Amino acid sequence: MGVSIYYSAERERALTGEEQATVDEIATRCNRALADDLRERLPDWHADGEVPPELDDPAYLSEGLHFYKPPLEPGEVLAGSSKLSHGACGLEHCFVQVHHFAEALAELRRRLSGAVWRVHIDGTDLPWDEHTGRYVLD
């Protein structure tokens, strides 16, 4: 059984072309940074048993930030999910993924005005802090 993070944004008007380009750019940047971070950590994770040595590519550990193609649910302008867990690994790589996804989703939330967001990990909402403009990961 896997653990996934789910994300969606709803609003009355569709994304503009400029907003879609922003979504694509942020997702690409997030996925690149996540892959680089995982790649950098793999030697230590292999050494301490967090990740088995045969899992030697970040693509084996993370799907990256992934948005569904339309049609979406009524009112949704953006929705997606990413698997966080890998049965052969410990939890540390899950936390690294959540950190990268939360940062990217926070940036999207700030950039897509008027949207109501929901971000949750298998039904448990990731709280949003209005003061910091970030998801709370504590």
Side-chain angles (χ1 to χ4, degrees):
M1 183 167 109
V3 176
S4 296
I5 184 170
Y6 299 87
Y7 27 90
S8 64
E10 296 182 6
R11 71 176 187 194
E12 291 183 17
R13 66 190 192 308
L15 295 179
T16 66
E18 184 177 319
E19 288 173 324
Q20 185 61 58
T22 296
V23 169
D24 296 342
E25 185 272 324
I26 290 170
T28 298
R29 187 169 14 101
C30 170
N31 293 339
R32 188 175 302 121
L34 174 58
D36 290 347
D37 197 1
L38 293 174
R39 192 174 295 106
E40 183 178 313
R41 294 169 187 257
L42 273 172
D44 289 338
W45 286 346
H46 289 151
D48 69 15
E50 171 74 16
V51 174
E54 62 273 13
L55 299 177
D56 59 358
D57 185 325
Y60 297 139
L61 299 177
S62 178
E63 296 177 347
L65 198 61
H66 168 74
F67 295 101
Y68 305 141
K69 300 285 185 219
L72 302 174
E73 295 296 319
E76 284 184 335
V77 294
L78 199 62
S81 65
S82 302
K83 186 175 178 183
L84 296 173
S85 61
H86 189 291
C89 301
L91 291 176
E92 190 173 338
H93 83 284
C94 293
F95 296 125
V96 170
Q97 290 176 84
V98 170
H99 168 76
H100 281 277
F101 296 153
E103 290 295 313
L105 293 167
E107 183 176 355
L108 285 169
R109 184 175 179 144
R110 292 187 297 268
R111 306 269 303 267
L112 300 178
S113 64
V116 175
W117 283 82
R118 177 147 193 246
V119 176
H120 63 100
I121 298 174
D122 286 346
T124 301
D125 287 336
L126 214 57
W128 178 255
D129 184 329
E130 290 291 338
H131 298 300
T132 63
R134 294 178 116 74
Y135 286 98
V136 178
L137 300 177
D138 302 344

